Amino acid sequence: MTYCLGIRVREGLVALADTRITSGTETTTAKKISLHTNEHGTVFLMTSGLRSVRDKAVTYFEEILEKDGHKYDKMYNVANAFGTQLRRVAKEDKEALTSSGLHFNLFGIVGGKLSADTEPKLYLLYPEGNWIEIGTATPFTIIGNSGYGKPILNRVLNYESSLRFALKTGFLSFDSTRVSASDVGFPIDVIILKAETGEIIEKRFEEKDLQDISRTWGDKLSQIIKEIPEGWIDEINTLSDNRDDEMFISLQQ
């Protein structure tokens, strides 16, 4: 499985991807996020799905960028280009995969800001090659194992959050997934795009780099749970006691 997260806030974009690859009982690491540059700027791409399909689609995409990248001055052009390559790979491999009991399940996240874009853009691409733009109402998208990390993002993240807050929340979302899913893990790759300057920063974090943050997150969760009022639990106990009393009286009668 995979955990890839894209966040769009007013200050820019955050992308985070784990690197764990699981095949049977073997676990390796591989980069799931890539940067691609043309004369109009730099974009990032994250993918989730079968490794063979992912590698093929990304290879085709890079080839198209080398050939026609100079034509793409808006991010939707790039999203369309990758969607076309998804359909190309599906046409070549989907039937064979299906006959072998495998699903063509490649998803993608494309983000960046090119010369004709007025602001950074973020897109989610489906296996069919179509896409949606991530807007301001729900300013993030996850591909791969999304169930464990989504709640914290839904609760605290919004379009007005700072890049720093988005990155911190994104890591905690990943960490919640990592401790619950054995097929998601370190190292993690992070990309930050600053809307004001267009600067892109790329960084890889090993588990040792963030273990103190992970430990603090776990300790804080335990502490806040202990601090949550328990009056409602007392009411449950009272109701239980009342039912027991009523039952005892009924038996006596």
Side-chain angles (χ1 to χ4, degrees):
M1 188 57 80
T2 292
Y3 183 83
C4 294
L5 166 67
I7 299 174
R8 178 189 175 196
V9 293
R10 186 178 298 278
E11 291 184 2
L13 304 178
V14 173
L16 186 153
D18 86 311
T19 57
R20 180 165 294 183
I21 300 291
T22 303
S23 179
T25 59
E26 294 185 5
T27 300
T28 58
T29 61
K31 196 174 180 66
K32 301 174 186 176
I33 185 170
S34 53
L35 286 172
H36 307 272
T37 302
N38 67 12
E39 61 190 78
H40 300 289
T42 300
V43 304
F44 63 79
L45 168 67
M46 296 186 284
T47 51
S48 169
L50 288 173
R51 179 72 186 277
S52 59
V53 174
R54 174 192 300 152
D55 288 353
K56 192 172 187 179
V58 172
T59 298
Y60 286 174
F61 178 61
E62 290 175 340
E63 186 176 61
I64 290 298
L65 287 183
E66 290 178 5
K67 179 182 177 183
D68 297 325
H70 62 281
K71 301 177 183 177
Y72 305 149
D73 61 354
K74 286 192 174 184
M75 280 300 303
Y76 81 85
N77 299 138
V78 178
N80 282 339
F82 187 66
T84 299
Q85 301 318 306
L86 280 178
R87 288 189 287 270
R88 177 183 174 187
V89 176
K91 185 176 181 180
E92 294 175 354
D93 295 349
K94 187 174 183 178
E95 184 177 346
L97 290 171
T98 301
S99 65
S100 300
L102 299 173
H103 297 289
F104 184 87
N105 63 345
L106 188 66
F107 289 80
I109 297 175
V110 174
K113 182 178 183 294
L114 297 181
S115 58
D117 292 313
T118 57
E119 59 185 350
K121 301 287 186 176
L122 188 67
Y123 299 90
L124 168 65
L125 287 99
Y126 297 97
E128 295 77 16
N130 57 319
W131 51 260
I132 60 171
E133 181 177 355
I134 305 306
T136 60
T138 305
F140 70 89
T141 185
I142 303 171
I143 55 176
N145 199 328
S146 62
Y148 301 109
K150 193 174 181 180
I152 182 176
L153 297 167
N154 282 332
R155 283 182 177 272
V156 305
L157 188 69
N158 61 68
Y159 182 66
E160 300 302 329
S161 299
S162 68
L163 273 176
R164 294 175 69 90
F165 186 83
L167 177 56
K168 181 164 56 175
T169 308
F171 168 70
L172 296 181
S173 173
F174 157 77
D175 198 60
S176 298
T177 305
R178 175 189 66 85
V179 300
S180 302
S182 60
D183 51 5
V184 173
F186 284 97
I188 57 172
D189 292 318
V190 172
I191 287 177
I192 297 172
L193 186 153
K194 298 181 179 180
E196 186 175 352
T197 64
E199 178 186 6
I200 288 185
I201 303 167
E202 185 177 18
K203 173 73 175 178
R204 169 166 289 193
F205 292 97
E206 303 287 344
E207 184 170 7
K208 61 182 176 59
D209 299 326
L210 298 173
Q211 59 185 1
D212 289 343
I213 305 301
S214 180
R215 187 181 303 112
T216 299
W217 171 231
D219 292 343
K220 292 291 185 181
L221 277 177
S222 297
Q223 183 60 38
I224 197 64
I225 290 172
K226 293 176 183 177
E227 294 174 2
I228 291 176
E230 297 181 353
W232 60 282
I233 298 178
D234 295 334
E235 292 179 7
I236 294 174
N237 289 335
T238 300
L239 290 173
S240 177
D241 292 341
N242 289 341
R243 281 196 293 270
D244 290 343
D245 292 342
E246 292 171 0
M247 183 178 294
F248 178 72
I249 293 171
S250 176
L251 288 174
Q252 281 187 322
Q253 294 174 344

